[in-house]
Short mmCIF file of all heavy atoms in Angstrom, two decimals:
data_model
loop_
_atom_site.label_atom_id
_atom_site.label_comp_id
_atom_site.label_asym_id
_atom_site.label_seq_id
_atom_site.Cartn_x
_atom_site.Cartn_y
_atom_site.Cartn_z
N THR A 948 69.00 106.63 -15.05
CA THR A 948 69.64 107.88 -14.67
C THR A 948 70.00 107.69 -13.11
O THR A 948 69.19 107.51 -12.29
CB THR A 948 68.85 109.15 -14.89
OG1 THR A 948 68.39 109.29 -16.33
CG2 THR A 948 69.64 110.46 -14.60
N ILE A 949 71.25 108.07 -12.85
CA ILE A 949 71.71 108.09 -11.45
C ILE A 949 71.89 109.53 -11.06
O ILE A 949 72.40 110.39 -11.82
CB ILE A 949 73.08 107.39 -11.27
CG1 ILE A 949 73.37 107.20 -9.77
CG2 ILE A 949 74.22 107.98 -12.01
CD1 ILE A 949 74.57 106.18 -9.56
N SER A 950 71.54 109.84 -9.83
CA SER A 950 71.75 111.18 -9.28
C SER A 950 72.13 111.15 -7.80
O SER A 950 71.80 110.11 -7.16
CB SER A 950 70.57 112.00 -9.58
OG SER A 950 69.35 111.54 -8.95
N ARG A 951 72.47 112.24 -7.30
CA ARG A 951 72.70 112.27 -5.78
C ARG A 951 72.28 113.56 -5.20
O ARG A 951 72.40 114.51 -5.88
CB ARG A 951 74.12 111.99 -5.46
CG ARG A 951 75.09 112.99 -5.95
CD ARG A 951 76.67 112.43 -5.93
NE ARG A 951 77.00 112.11 -4.55
CZ ARG A 951 78.12 111.39 -4.32
NH1 ARG A 951 78.86 110.93 -5.19
NH2 ARG A 951 78.40 111.19 -2.99
N ASP A 952 71.90 113.50 -3.93
CA ASP A 952 71.48 114.64 -3.17
C ASP A 952 72.27 114.63 -1.80
O ASP A 952 71.89 113.92 -0.99
CB ASP A 952 69.96 114.66 -2.95
CG ASP A 952 69.55 115.99 -2.15
OD1 ASP A 952 70.42 116.66 -1.73
OD2 ASP A 952 68.42 116.24 -2.26
N ASN A 953 73.41 115.28 -1.94
CA ASN A 953 74.33 115.19 -0.79
C ASN A 953 73.67 115.70 0.55
O ASN A 953 74.01 115.32 1.65
CB ASN A 953 75.70 115.89 -1.07
CG ASN A 953 76.45 115.16 -2.05
OD1 ASN A 953 76.41 113.89 -2.28
ND2 ASN A 953 77.29 115.87 -2.87
N ALA A 954 72.91 116.79 0.37
CA ALA A 954 72.28 117.34 1.59
C ALA A 954 71.29 116.38 2.22
O ALA A 954 71.19 116.37 3.40
CB ALA A 954 71.35 118.62 1.13
N LYS A 955 70.76 115.45 1.49
CA LYS A 955 69.93 114.35 2.04
C LYS A 955 70.62 113.06 2.20
O LYS A 955 70.07 112.05 2.62
CB LYS A 955 68.69 114.21 1.23
CG LYS A 955 67.77 115.37 1.07
CD LYS A 955 66.51 115.18 0.33
CE LYS A 955 65.54 116.33 0.22
NZ LYS A 955 64.24 115.94 -0.53
N SER A 956 71.90 112.95 1.84
CA SER A 956 72.76 111.91 1.99
C SER A 956 71.99 110.64 1.27
O SER A 956 71.95 109.58 1.75
CB SER A 956 72.93 111.41 3.47
OG SER A 956 73.73 112.48 4.10
N THR A 957 71.56 110.89 0.05
CA THR A 957 70.74 109.98 -0.71
C THR A 957 71.24 109.89 -2.21
O THR A 957 71.53 110.91 -2.73
CB THR A 957 69.38 110.27 -0.59
OG1 THR A 957 68.83 110.34 0.69
CG2 THR A 957 68.48 109.24 -1.40
N VAL A 958 71.23 108.74 -2.72
CA VAL A 958 71.49 108.48 -4.12
C VAL A 958 70.31 107.80 -4.84
O VAL A 958 69.60 106.93 -4.11
CB VAL A 958 72.77 107.64 -4.30
CG1 VAL A 958 73.14 107.34 -5.78
CG2 VAL A 958 74.01 108.26 -3.66
N TYR A 959 69.97 108.20 -5.99
CA TYR A 959 68.83 107.73 -6.63
C TYR A 959 69.27 106.96 -7.93
O TYR A 959 70.19 107.28 -8.65
CB TYR A 959 67.91 108.85 -6.98
CG TYR A 959 67.41 109.58 -5.78
CD1 TYR A 959 68.05 110.73 -5.50
CD2 TYR A 959 66.35 109.24 -4.96
CE1 TYR A 959 67.74 111.61 -4.38
CE2 TYR A 959 65.97 109.96 -3.84
CZ TYR A 959 66.68 111.28 -3.62
OH TYR A 959 66.29 111.99 -2.48
N LEU A 960 68.33 106.11 -8.35
CA LEU A 960 68.42 105.52 -9.59
C LEU A 960 67.01 105.48 -10.23
O LEU A 960 66.13 104.70 -9.89
CB LEU A 960 68.94 104.06 -9.67
CG LEU A 960 69.12 103.33 -11.00
CD1 LEU A 960 70.26 104.03 -11.70
CD2 LEU A 960 69.46 101.73 -10.77
N GLN A 961 66.89 106.39 -11.31
CA GLN A 961 65.61 106.44 -11.95
C GLN A 961 65.63 105.44 -13.16
O GLN A 961 66.47 105.54 -14.00
CB GLN A 961 65.43 107.85 -12.53
CG GLN A 961 64.09 108.06 -13.25
CD GLN A 961 62.84 107.76 -12.31
OE1 GLN A 961 62.68 108.43 -11.30
NE2 GLN A 961 61.83 107.03 -12.81
N MET A 962 64.66 104.56 -13.09
CA MET A 962 64.62 103.49 -14.12
C MET A 962 63.44 103.63 -14.89
O MET A 962 62.28 103.52 -14.39
CB MET A 962 64.74 102.12 -13.49
CG MET A 962 65.88 101.88 -12.53
SD MET A 962 66.10 100.26 -11.95
CE MET A 962 64.53 100.15 -10.93
N ASN A 963 63.51 103.94 -16.28
CA ASN A 963 62.40 103.97 -17.21
C ASN A 963 62.40 102.97 -18.11
O ASN A 963 63.51 102.39 -18.46
CB ASN A 963 62.41 105.45 -17.84
CG ASN A 963 62.29 106.52 -16.79
OD1 ASN A 963 61.63 106.46 -15.76
ND2 ASN A 963 63.00 107.63 -17.13
N ASN A 964 61.33 102.74 -18.80
CA ASN A 964 61.23 101.72 -19.76
C ASN A 964 61.89 100.31 -19.47
O ASN A 964 62.63 99.85 -20.19
CB ASN A 964 61.87 102.22 -21.20
CG ASN A 964 61.52 101.34 -22.38
OD1 ASN A 964 60.52 100.67 -22.44
ND2 ASN A 964 62.35 101.40 -23.35
N LEU A 965 61.34 99.96 -18.32
CA LEU A 965 62.00 98.63 -17.77
C LEU A 965 61.71 97.45 -18.69
O LEU A 965 60.69 97.28 -19.26
CB LEU A 965 61.47 98.41 -16.42
CG LEU A 965 62.14 99.40 -15.32
CD1 LEU A 965 61.33 99.51 -14.06
CD2 LEU A 965 63.60 98.82 -15.01
N LYS A 966 62.62 96.63 -18.67
CA LYS A 966 62.64 95.34 -19.46
C LYS A 966 62.67 94.09 -18.61
O LYS A 966 63.26 94.23 -17.51
CB LYS A 966 63.66 95.37 -20.50
CG LYS A 966 63.62 96.54 -21.52
CD LYS A 966 64.76 96.43 -22.50
CE LYS A 966 64.89 97.64 -23.36
NZ LYS A 966 65.98 97.55 -24.52
N PRO A 967 62.15 93.00 -19.01
CA PRO A 967 62.36 91.82 -18.20
C PRO A 967 63.75 91.50 -17.78
O PRO A 967 63.95 90.95 -16.62
CB PRO A 967 61.70 90.75 -19.03
CG PRO A 967 60.62 91.44 -19.96
CD PRO A 967 61.30 92.71 -20.17
N GLU A 968 64.77 91.77 -18.63
CA GLU A 968 66.11 91.50 -18.35
C GLU A 968 66.69 92.44 -17.36
O GLU A 968 67.81 92.29 -16.93
CB GLU A 968 66.96 91.60 -19.69
CG GLU A 968 66.80 92.85 -20.45
CD GLU A 968 65.73 92.61 -21.64
OE1 GLU A 968 64.70 92.02 -21.40
OE2 GLU A 968 66.06 93.13 -22.64
N ASP A 969 65.98 93.47 -16.85
CA ASP A 969 66.39 94.28 -15.81
C ASP A 969 66.06 93.69 -14.44
O ASP A 969 66.56 94.18 -13.36
CB ASP A 969 65.70 95.68 -15.87
CG ASP A 969 66.01 96.51 -17.15
OD1 ASP A 969 67.24 96.46 -17.45
OD2 ASP A 969 65.17 97.11 -17.67
N THR A 970 65.43 92.60 -14.44
CA THR A 970 65.09 91.88 -13.16
C THR A 970 66.34 91.49 -12.40
O THR A 970 67.16 90.72 -13.05
CB THR A 970 64.17 90.63 -13.39
OG1 THR A 970 62.91 91.13 -14.00
CG2 THR A 970 63.86 89.92 -12.11
N ALA A 971 66.43 91.96 -11.17
CA ALA A 971 67.73 91.63 -10.35
C ALA A 971 67.35 92.24 -9.00
O ALA A 971 66.61 92.92 -8.79
CB ALA A 971 68.86 92.22 -11.12
N VAL A 972 68.37 91.81 -8.09
CA VAL A 972 68.55 92.56 -6.89
C VAL A 972 69.47 93.76 -7.00
O VAL A 972 70.56 93.55 -7.61
CB VAL A 972 69.17 91.69 -5.79
CG1 VAL A 972 69.41 92.47 -4.50
CG2 VAL A 972 68.06 90.54 -5.47
N TYR A 973 69.02 95.01 -6.84
CA TYR A 973 69.87 96.13 -7.00
C TYR A 973 70.50 96.57 -5.67
O TYR A 973 69.83 96.64 -4.68
CB TYR A 973 68.93 97.34 -7.52
CG TYR A 973 68.69 97.05 -8.98
CD1 TYR A 973 67.74 95.98 -9.42
CD2 TYR A 973 69.26 97.78 -10.03
CE1 TYR A 973 67.52 95.92 -10.70
CE2 TYR A 973 69.02 97.72 -11.29
CZ TYR A 973 68.18 96.69 -11.74
OH TYR A 973 67.88 96.45 -13.04
#
């Protein structure tokens, strides 16, 4: 899930149920 908090100038990526194929530089 991607979300943003403009007041904090921050973007998030919540990653659940991670799999080995998710391995990468983000």
Side-chain angles (χ1 to χ4, degrees):
T948 303
I949 188 171
S950 62
R951 66 193 299 164
D952 186 339
N953 290 332
K955 295 183 177 181
S956 296
T957 302
V958 178
Y959 304 96
L960 184 67
Q961 179 66 47
M962 306 186 295
N963 298 326
N964 191 24
L965 284 160
K966 302 176 179 180
E968 51 263 44
D969 296 319
T970 297
V972 174
Y973 285 72

